[in-house]
Amino acid sequence: MTAASGRTGRPPLTEERKAAIRLEIARAAVDLFVGQGVAATTGEQIGRAVGVSARTVWRYFPSKEACVRPLFEAGIEEIAGCLRAWRPGRPLAEVLTRAVPADSRLVAGPDRATIGALVRLTRDEPGLRAVWLQSYDAAEPTFARALAERAGVSADELGPTVQAAMFNAALRAAMEHYAWRIDEEGADATTAETELTATLSSALTLVASGLA
């Protein structure tokens, strides 16, 4: 069928659908990485798990490790919104833990035990480690703008930039501490959920005085 514009074939994907496909690929990739390791996972396997071709996978991501980036970056805007809404006198941990409910918005998709396993892989997989750190680099300017808005100052000022770096480092340290500890102790999904919330609360309590 030929459209009035002269174009043929399927209509172009909407941005919303593209984002959904990226997330489907990400979830399939993390399941494969955790289940069989990064080295043993191929683009063909990731695509097959989603029902797309390997060519489609590479259209969305430059490497198999990059496939998990949407999971690492999920929740940035929700967290920034919590920072804007953070009021003087309220514990930062209380505000932020509301952005980390059971649906795992900080690292959206799989359950917490699987997320812990994925973060643990970043210790020994340089490609995954790079994606993990890049996701925090991407988040930091967003957090700086949120903190600047909260304080009523320009996002170009040094204060919000330093505060965002502190906050970002606390989040990453908490996630890694949680993942390493769960690896050593082992935990079911319920325990993992409790452990992550407690670890984030502790880290944010430590850094809150510098952000107040």
Side-chain angles (χ1 to χ4, degrees):
M1 180 180 293
T2 302
S5 63
R7 295 183 60 180
T8 62
R10 297 179 180 177
L13 295 175
T14 65
E15 291 304 314
E16 183 178 348
R17 180 54 185 152
K18 288 179 182 179
I21 292 173
R22 285 172 57 85
L23 193 54
E24 289 171 11
I25 292 172
R27 287 170 174 161
V30 67
D31 286 341
L32 287 165
F33 290 166
V34 171
Q36 63 184 32
V38 177
T41 300
T42 66
E44 288 76 12
Q45 289 176 323
I46 295 171
R48 195 179 308 125
V50 179
V52 301
S53 67
R55 182 178 178 181
T56 297
V57 173
W58 304 137
R59 187 181 303 134
Y60 284 93
F61 299 100
S63 68
K64 61 185 178 182
E65 292 88 351
C67 288
V68 301
R69 187 163 183 168
L71 298 179
F72 286 154
E73 294 185 351
I76 290 175
E77 290 301 329
E78 286 88 348
I79 294 171
C82 287
L83 288 176
R84 292 186 191 95
W86 179 33
R87 294 292 176 260
R90 290 187 63 194
L92 178 61
E94 174 188 318
V95 176
L96 263 294
T97 50
R98 293 183 180 181
V100 195
D103 63 358
S104 300
R105 285 186 204 167
L106 255 183
V107 194
D111 62 47
R112 295 305 175 91
T114 301
I115 288 303
L118 176 62
V119 176
R120 286 194 295 276
L121 285 175
T122 67
R123 286 189 296 186
D124 304 314
E125 295 287 347
L128 276 183
R129 185 69 183 176
V131 174
W132 173 243
L133 296 178
Q134 287 165 7
S135 71
Y136 280 89
D137 284 344
E140 200 160 297
T142 302
F143 296 156
R145 288 192 294 272
L147 288 166
E149 184 177 330
R150 173 182 183 266
V153 300
S154 170
D156 295 331
E157 293 191 14
L158 180 61
T161 300
V162 173
Q163 290 176 334
M166 294 168 59
F167 174 73
N168 215 20
L171 285 182
R172 182 172 64 81
M175 287 297 298
E176 292 181 352
H177 180 80
Y178 154 79
W180 309 165
R181 183 174 176 180
I182 289 296
D183 185 31
E184 294 171 356
E185 299 177 358
D188 57 26
T190 300
T191 302
E193 177 75 26
T194 302
E195 285 281 350
L196 179 54
T197 300
T199 303
L200 283 168
S201 293
S202 296
L204 293 172
T205 297
L206 288 172
V207 79
S209 61
L211 298 178

